[in-house]
Amino acid sequence: MRGTGARRAVVTTTVLGALLIPLGGCGGPGPAAPGGPRARAVDGSADKPADRPTRIPGVGDRLQRRIPAASRQVVAVYGDGKDSPDATVVLYTRRGSVWDRVRDWPAHNGGKGWTTDHREGDRRSPVGVFTLSDAGGVLPDPGARLPYTRSAAMAAPRWWPRSYWHDFDYVVAIDYNRVLGTPPNNQTRPRGYSEGGGIWLHLDHGSGTSACVSVSRPAMRYLLRTLDPDRHPVVVMGDRADLRA
């Protein structure tokens, strides 16, 4: 990973670039998922331990062991259920031997829920632990610590429903089946197209996604300004049952 403050200044307005977006895991709205924005408390919406934990709460040994020892920031995505599009995102920061719960937000994941065997077009988010190394979006860099690529090619196509048009104003690439150190909309998939890709943290439109994780605009801006490559951030994501397994 690169040091703090690294930036890209890649700006493109080509229509061809925008047409690449539907190839990603967040490509296209698909059928609307049940449920809309939820009034969920910012504090207490995910497993909240009574005292400062030495492990990420609600995450069992299988995934806990996959969190790199160097990681000092974890974005935990707690899916409400195997087939649910609703989730809670919690940011944890490690201080010494304990994990401090920093903030949390309501979120959405794949419209059909979660899977441990993600495939292109299944509309399920992949369960697992993934690094977070690159960011970007349609809008100017809001002060991101991760390398940030601004590109009009990330814009959602205007034939999508209007509520989706700003999904990719800000994004953080989830390092599932992608080349690290490249812009989020790089379409290269090292494990092949069939295993999906283009999975991001991005802005929420009020319902489930194609496979991404979506949160509010204030949440995305906060994450972009907080996730620090020197702290080796990762995302731990899945439905609560799979996370605990």
Side-chain angles (χ1 to χ4, degrees):
M1 291 188 181
R2 289 150 293 188
T4 301
R7 294 290 182 273
R8 303 190 195 90
V10 179
V11 181
T12 176
T13 59
T14 63
V15 175
L16 177 60
L19 291 176
L20 291 177
I21 289 295
L23 297 178
C26 290
R38 290 157 295 124
R40 180 175 289 185
V42 169
D43 289 318
S45 54
D47 303 26
K48 189 169 185 178
D51 47 5
R52 299 170 72 198
T54 56
R55 296 161 52 98
I56 301 300
V59 177
D61 290 343
R62 177 176 60 89
L63 293 179
Q64 199 86 42
R65 286 192 293 265
R66 292 175 55 187
I67 300 173
S71 291
R72 295 295 181 268
Q73 289 178 323
V74 167
V75 177
V77 184
Y78 297 94
D80 282 6
K82 186 75 172 179
D83 301 318
S84 172
D86 299 328
T88 300
V89 165
V90 183
L91 175 63
Y92 294 99
T93 297
R94 187 169 183 174
R95 302 182 189 280
S97 61
V98 299
W99 290 97
D100 287 338
R101 182 191 184 104
V102 180
R103 290 197 182 186
D104 63 87
W105 306 271
H108 287 100
N109 49 264
K112 291 187 176 181
W114 297 90
T115 180
T116 56
D117 186 25
H118 178 60
R119 289 293 181 265
E120 178 66 21
D122 65 9
R123 295 189 58 80
R124 292 181 179 270
S125 298
V127 175
V129 178
F130 310 102
T131 54
L132 301 170
S133 56
D134 300 283
V138 176
L139 296 184
D141 184 351
R145 293 174 178 246
L146 295 172
Y148 187 95
T149 300
R150 182 188 182 191
S151 174
M154 295 186 199
R158 286 306 186 257
W159 62 82
W160 289 7
R162 184 178 292 271
S163 60
Y164 292 71
W165 286 5
H166 295 285
D167 281 13
F168 311 137
D169 282 357
Y170 299 119
V171 307
V172 175
I174 293 172
D175 294 334
Y176 170 88
N177 198 18
R178 69 177 300 269
V179 178
L180 280 63
T182 64
N185 60 336
N186 184 329
Q187 295 296 315
T188 304
R189 298 184 181 180
R191 288 157 44 185
Y193 184 83
S194 65
E195 294 197 24
I199 298 176
W200 300 343
L201 290 166
H202 67 68
L203 298 188
D204 191 58
H205 54 250
S207 62
T209 69
S210 291
C212 297
V213 174
S214 61
V215 293
S216 67
R217 183 177 298 268
M220 278 301 303
R221 289 177 64 89
Y222 184 87
L223 289 170
L224 283 166
R225 292 169 174 170
T226 304
L227 295 175
D228 185 345
D230 289 342
R231 296 185 179 187
H232 307 285
V234 300
V235 59
V236 181
M237 52 194 278
D239 59 282
R240 292 180 184 272
D242 270 322
L243 288 176
R244 287 192 300 267

